[in-house]
Amino acid sequence: MAKSQPPHGGDDPEIADAADLLRDTPAGWAKSTPKPQARPTPGVEPEAESEGYELAEHEPPAPKPAPLPFDDEPPRTRTRARPGREAAEDFEDDEPRDRDRDGDRGRPTTLYDPDEAVEEVWSRRAEWWPSLLALAAVALVMWLCLFFAPIPTALVLVVGLVALALLSYPIVITLERPVRITPEQAARDYYGALSHMFPHYRRMWLLLSAGGRHSSRFDSFPEFKSYWKNRLMLLNGGKPAWPNSLGFEVGDYKGEKSGGKAVAEAKYTVRVVRLGKADAPPIDSVRVSATFVRGPDNMWYLDEGTL
């Protein structure tokens, strides 16, 4: 029987050498030989060897995130701003900074300057001008009625005098000048103006600093009046407090010495009582922590107008 020939002719393929299977480098490949390392020279530090790639001498800085617009910032709460205090004392770490008068963000509002700490100083003109204007208007109407209107003179005089008396009430209850050499006197004068049958809200407004006139409850004099009218009604058991029958007394005052300072802190208790009933127990008692600032007139103004 004839032997089968290989398909392409020639001799049978040689059997692979078993030693080639155990070699690290296949046969026919050039065997790499490690480079001889130079011995380190004494006193000379060896250069760092690369690991197959080169390190960048200066890596490019990571891109900064785009700043959020002001409207997209997360809401943050802050405590009441105290004019006249430094940033470290007035703000906590997690509280934002207010806008200053130039509209910049990030700088706290500091009102050590007396001209900025108080927007409007107290004066007789600032306190009485609405009442004086009303009195002048009533007097003019009386004069016109007496000489030109066919109205009995007695009736004009009676009605006119009653109107003048009512309009003079804010002037009569504020004849005493509010001397506020100490912060305690400022607190007593502030709540004393509230302890009348018809509270003198304008004097209260004039005894507030710039920080005291701007809060979450009010930002103008009409809003300030509305706040206190509602507050009196709540303290009166939800009944309209007109005329007012509540009095406010300041006691248990504890504060630091204010001599030579532009800002002072104090704690005191405001007791709400019934007017004309000194022996009756107080309706309510509120402990207040307040800040006072000194104005250009060297008098003290309250930095908090709420209770």
Side-chain angles (χ1 to χ4, degrees):
M1 185 174 180
K3 295 181 179 180
S4 60
Q5 298 295 332
H8 301 287
D11 298 333
D12 295 336
E14 296 180 358
I15 299 175
D17 189 0
D20 291 339
L21 300 176
L22 302 177
R23 293 173 184 164
D24 294 335
T25 304
W29 287 20
K31 187 175 182 179
S32 61
T33 57
K35 294 182 180 179
Q37 297 181 356
R39 296 182 180 180
T41 304
V44 179
E45 296 181 3
E47 297 180 357
E49 297 182 356
S50 62
E51 296 295 334
Y53 59 91
E54 295 181 359
L55 295 175
E57 294 182 1
H58 302 285
E59 295 183 357
K64 296 182 180 180
L68 293 174
F70 179 76
D71 295 338
D72 295 337
E73 289 186 358
R76 295 174 294 182
T77 57
R78 76 181 294 274
T79 56
R80 174 179 53 86
R82 296 177 177 180
R85 299 186 61 83
E86 295 291 348
E89 299 177 357
D90 187 26
F91 296 90
E92 299 295 338
D93 293 338
D94 57 345
E95 294 176 347
R97 300 299 191 257
D98 278 350
R99 293 176 181 268
D100 63 350
R101 293 185 179 275
D102 296 331
D104 297 333
R105 187 175 181 82
R107 291 186 295 173
T109 303
T110 56
L111 297 177
Y112 271 109
D113 187 356
D115 295 334
E116 297 181 359
V118 178
E119 293 181 351
E120 182 183 10
V121 298
W122 177 92
S123 65
R124 290 293 190 192
R125 179 183 300 178
E127 185 174 78
W128 285 354
W129 74 263
S131 299
L132 294 176
L133 187 62
L135 290 173
V138 172
L140 178 61
V141 172
M142 287 180 60
W143 183 81
L144 294 176
C145 292
L146 287 174
F147 289 94
F148 300 100
I151 302 176
T153 303
L155 180 61
V156 172
L157 292 176
V158 170
V159 174
L161 291 177
V162 171
L164 291 175
L166 293 176
L167 293 175
S168 300
Y169 180 81
I171 297 177
V172 173
I173 64 175
T174 56
L175 288 174
E176 185 178 356
R177 185 182 184 90
V179 180
R180 292 149 288 124
I181 300 177
T182 64
E184 183 177 4
Q185 291 175 332
R188 294 183 183 277
D189 284 335
Y190 180 79
Y191 289 102
L194 187 63
S195 303
H196 293 286
M197 294 181 61
F198 301 96
H200 201 291
Y201 298 114
R202 185 152 193 87
R203 168 169 282 195
M204 297 173 64
W205 179 255
L206 291 173
L207 297 185
L208 291 178
S209 66
R213 291 187 176 187
H214 304 282
S215 69
S216 59
R217 304 296 183 88
F218 50 80
D219 201 39
S220 62
F221 179 61
E223 293 177 354
F224 175 79
K225 289 179 60 177
S226 177
Y227 163 78
W228 274 111
K229 288 179 179 179
N230 293 333
R231 194 75 178 94
L232 291 175
M233 185 175 64
L234 291 176
L235 291 172
N236 199 36
K239 301 177 183 179
W242 195 91
N244 177 40
S245 61
L246 302 177
F248 297 81
E249 300 176 351
V250 176
D252 302 330
Y253 183 90
K254 294 181 180 180
E256 56 186 351
K257 294 182 178 180
S258 58
K261 294 184 177 180
V263 180
E265 293 184 352
K267 293 183 179 181
Y268 51 86
T269 301
V270 178
R271 289 186 290 269
V272 185
V273 298
R274 290 288 181 185
L275 292 176
K277 298 181 179 180
D279 298 335
I283 299 174
D284 199 355
S285 182
V286 182
R287 190 64 177 171
V288 179
S289 297
T291 306
F292 301 82
V293 295
R294 193 186 295 273
D297 55 352
N298 206 31
M299 296 294 174
W300 290 97
Y301 293 81
L302 279 78
D303 189 34
E304 180 62 54
T306 60
L307 183 63

